[in-house]
Amino acid sequence: MAYHSIQGLAHGRLDLLNQLRTFLVTTTGWTLHDDQSADPQPYFVFKSHGESGAEDVYLQFRISTTSGRIHVAAFQYWIAATHTGVNEASHTSYTYLRVEDSADFIFWLFADLDHVFVVTKLVSTYYGHYSGLLKRFWSGAVALTQAAVTAGSGVVLQVNDATVVTPGQDYVIKDDAGIERVRVSAIDTAATPNTITVETLVRDYASGAKIGEDPQPVVNSYYNAPGTFYAVNKFDGWTSASGQQGRCGAAHGGLQGETDPEMRYGTTILFPWLASMSGSAAYQELRGELIEIFSVGGGNVASEDTIQIGTDSYRVFNLTTGGWCAVKE
């Protein structure tokens, strides 16, 4: 599916929730995985396998019990039959869309099958929220287990392709129920199917489990993104809903004010928003960058302006806390 964007007017937060459903499912191609529009706190869970078709993205948008909010949560997996999530990434105080309960407000939606970015305008203030995959710096290649495996030492996994891993290196294995970090001790690419041997496996995994460098780089941001976010997992798995904290920083080195406009040709420079895992030093790493969202200086533009670069158009917003951003339309 292609990249899509719309601007619209919402008549309160429930209207935005419904318009978001139409945009993601009908326009962009996400699956409506769980429709709980009749719930006292209406919500939808959307699922995507990403632009590559090999990803796992589960996002829930729910009318919050707190006014002015649509709560957002990301999950490793969502069980639609029981309306329950596995390994949530969210925070009740921060991961939400900033909205009006019943009054009209303007919004912008930007999405592909990898991510969704929502901008809302309340009076004259712009709020942004990012959820979905990062443009990862690690490989997205995964090996799929061909049979269920049992926890233990020296565990041999039958996989479709063992060439995506290297003996002596650490990887992440996940299925719909669990996730952990494992060290690969050996591979056999001559066997049919291929096999991967791991030193230790803490829990059992189902057939179809994925093993790779970064098989699910899904994040859920604060209401005033770009800034702090929570990831579904870090390099060694999941701890708690807010246990995988990260943050975004613009790769401009503080020079954005001197490069916008760039004096030689009066152009606006777009800098990527980098995403890193923060918190304890044991978990710090530069994980990737936001998809199609860039930092700009603001000296050559105003909010809601567009910047044209070749055939691509970018909408500019001065987001609260997040600062000047240009988002691909």
Side-chain angles (χ1 to χ4, degrees):
M1 297 290 290
Y3 186 93
H4 298 276
S5 67
I6 62 168
Q7 176 184 342
L9 180 69
H11 307 298
R13 61 180 179 173
L14 183 59
D15 183 38
L16 176 61
L17 183 66
N18 288 322
Q19 292 198 57
L20 180 64
R21 175 190 57 186
T22 300
F23 174 72
L24 286 180
V25 176
T26 305
T27 303
T28 312
W30 288 62
T31 298
L32 181 55
H33 186 64
D34 195 356
D35 181 348
Q36 292 300 301
S37 52
D39 190 88
Q41 290 176 251
Y43 70 87
F44 302 114
V45 175
F46 304 103
K47 177 181 76 172
S48 171
H49 290 304
E51 291 292 319
S52 70
E55 308 286 0
D56 299 299
V57 188
Y58 295 88
L59 301 176
Q60 180 199 60
F61 293 82
R62 183 172 198 155
I63 298 297
S64 175
T65 55
T66 303
S67 63
R69 300 180 182 183
I70 295 175
H71 181 69
V72 186
F75 295 89
Q76 182 176 321
Y77 182 69
W78 181 269
I79 306 168
T82 58
H83 316 300
T84 56
V86 175
N87 291 352
E88 179 177 356
S90 75
H91 195 296
T92 54
S93 298
Y94 302 114
T95 57
Y96 60 86
L97 309 183
R98 181 70 175 87
V99 294
E100 297 284 5
D101 290 342
S102 55
D104 291 354
F105 60 93
I106 301 171
F107 67 87
W108 292 260
L109 305 178
F110 308 86
D112 56 15
L113 292 176
D114 289 337
H115 81 296
V116 55
F117 188 61
V118 181
V119 176
T120 57
K121 181 182 182 182
L122 277 59
V123 188
S124 58
T125 302
Y126 300 86
Y127 299 88
H129 181 276
Y130 184 100
S131 53
L133 297 169
L134 294 172
K135 182 180 178 181
R136 55 166 77 84
F137 287 160
W138 311 111
S139 172
V142 295
L144 302 177
T145 60
Q146 303 298 288
V149 293
T150 304
S153 299
V155 178
V156 178
L157 290 68
Q158 294 183 335
V159 299
N160 64 327
D161 182 6
T163 64
V164 303
V165 301
T166 302
Q169 299 293 324
D170 295 324
Y171 295 90
V172 173
I173 183 170
K174 63 168 286 288
D175 60 10
D176 292 340
I179 185 169
E180 64 185 274
R181 187 187 192 196
V182 295
R183 173 156 293 183
V184 172
S185 57
I187 64 173
D188 187 345
T189 57
T192 304
N194 288 185
T195 63
I196 295 173
T197 304
V198 299
E199 291 182 359
T200 305
L201 199 63
V202 173
R203 65 175 308 279
D204 300 346
Y205 286 89
S207 177
K210 296 179 179 181
I211 180 170
E213 290 184 7
D214 200 359
Q216 198 170 16
V218 175
V219 302
N220 177 24
S221 84
Y222 276 23
Y223 68 95
N224 53 355
T228 303
F229 63 80
Y230 299 113
V232 166
N233 60 71
K234 49 187 185 292
F235 74 92
D236 66 347
W238 182 88
T239 302
S240 65
S242 58
Q244 301 76 236
Q245 184 171 320
R247 61 191 179 94
C248 295
H252 51 47
L255 303 178
Q256 74 277 18
E258 301 164 26
T259 57
D260 187 10
E262 189 275 331
M263 294 309 298
R264 184 167 302 196
Y265 296 110
T267 57
T268 297
I269 308 299
L270 273 60
F271 298 93
W273 278 96
L274 302 180
S276 66
M277 302 307 295
S278 54
S280 168
Y283 296 108
Q284 293 174 359
E285 62 174 348
L286 190 59
R287 187 123 183 228
E289 61 187 71
L290 301 186
I291 299 172
E292 303 296 5
I293 301 176
F294 302 89
S295 174
V296 295
N300 201 34
V301 290
S303 285
E304 302 184 38
D305 281 355
T306 57
I307 300 171
Q308 197 71 28
I309 300 179
T311 58
D312 293 329
S313 179
Y314 297 83
R315 182 74 60 174
V316 175
F317 303 99
N318 187 12
L319 299 175
T320 181
T321 307
W324 286 95
C325 293
V327 188
K328 184 179 177 182
E329 291 194 309

